[in-house]
Amino acid sequence: MVNNFPPLIARIKQEGKCLAGGVLKVDSFVNHQLDPDFLMLMAEEFNHRFVPQSYDKIITIEASGIAHAVMLGYLTNKKVVFAKKKKPSTMDQSHMLTTEVYSFTKNITQHICLSREFIRAGERVLFIDDFLANGKAAQGILDLVQQAQATLVGMGFIIEKSFQDGGKNLRQQQIHVESLASIASLDNNTITLAQ
Ligand code: 5GP
């Protein structure tokens, strides 16, 4: 169900720019410059939508998801773990979980990884990220969470582009997906919201 968060919609309308290939640029408050007061407002909204007692930890993926996840982690006093896009030389190989993710904006396939030390079997985790497009990052996270034998309790996105298939696919898997803004189209250089 579409549940647009009015303060975010106002900012997207004011500051968002449509780029070629169905990409929305929101560098002034999501992907480059960050506005902590506004991030906290969005974290509070996520906190209304996902009962904090239902999850133990927050998971995200570097880089743009981290700030959003940390705000919610601060608010709920929960640890935040981010999947890494490069295998760190310091990570104990026996703890490392990996999967492949195709990046829509970069047009490349990347390995993402997570240490078993930080997501443990039986833990309940909430995934937070900036954008939901084709859902490849989200599927990769789901794969890592399952490899860790943890439970995914939901996925929260700042912006969902509902003209791409990610949201539909995740909801078909009975995943609780919440998006603070749903965009139906970026055609003709116009941001059209989903209703
Ligand atoms: P997905 O895996 O759902 O196809 O894409 C999600 C990732 O791609 C997000 O984490 C985000 O980094 C990036 N992304 C997808 N669409 C957009 C977009 O329209 N604008 C921006 N700035 N990033 C996007």
Side-chain angles (χ1 to χ4, degrees):
M1 197 191 75
V2 175
N3 186 3
N4 287 329
F5 181 51
L8 175 60
I9 298 304
R11 273 200 93 154
I12 291 172
K13 282 186 176 164
Q14 261 172 13
E15 299 172 45
K17 294 191 177 65
C18 306
L19 302 186
V23 172
L24 179 68
K25 182 172 171 163
V26 279
D27 276 15
S28 59
F29 67 103
V30 174
N31 293 118
H32 197 358
Q33 173 173 261
L34 296 167
D35 176 346
D37 287 342
F38 192 70
L39 293 192
M40 186 49 87
L41 201 64
M42 294 194 285
E44 285 166 354
E45 181 61 20
F46 278 135
N47 200 31
H48 291 136
R49 298 190 188 194
F50 295 103
V51 180
Q53 291 80 5
S54 69
Y55 59 95
D56 307 304
K57 272 187 185 170
I58 299 166
I59 188 167
T60 187
I61 180 165
E62 63 179 0
S64 296
I66 296 175
H68 307 287
V70 166
M71 281 291 172
L72 184 59
Y74 182 75
L75 196 64
T76 58
N77 195 24
K78 293 183 199 287
K79 297 265 192 306
V80 175
V81 181
F82 59 94
K84 289 172 165 271
K85 288 185 176 162
K86 276 198 186 125
K87 291 180 188 170
S89 57
T90 51
M91 196 185 284
D92 183 338
Q93 298 289 316
S94 65
H95 287 148
M96 200 192 293
L97 303 170
T98 63
T99 194
E100 280 187 358
V101 169
Y102 172 75
S103 165
F104 164 75
T105 43
K106 296 187 188 125
N107 194 21
I108 51 166
T109 298
Q110 292 174 304
H111 286 272
I112 62 165
C113 65
L114 181 73
S115 171
R116 273 183 205 280
E117 281 179 280
F118 303 120
I119 300 288
R120 295 194 172 265
E123 274 185 321
R124 302 165 305 164
V125 298
L126 174 69
F127 175 57
I128 294 291
D129 203 6
D130 58 344
F131 272 90
L132 173 59
N134 294 311
K136 303 294 182 197
Q139 286 294 343
I141 291 293
L142 179 60
D143 184 12
L144 292 178
V145 168
Q146 287 173 340
Q147 288 184 48
Q149 296 176 297
T151 305
L152 182 90
V153 303
M155 296 190 159
F157 300 92
I158 303 297
I159 299 172
E160 173 175 347
K161 294 186 296 177
S162 55
F163 57 89
Q164 292 174 287
D165 277 345
K168 192 182 77 187
N169 292 339
L170 295 174
R171 290 181 181 97
Q172 273 174 358
Q173 297 170 65
Q174 314 302 325
I175 295 171
H176 176 192
V177 178
E178 292 283 341
S179 302
L180 302 190
S182 284
I183 309 264
S185 161
L186 294 171
D187 292 347
N188 305 316
N189 214 18
T190 305
I191 301 169
T192 307
L193 296 171
Q195 301 296 335

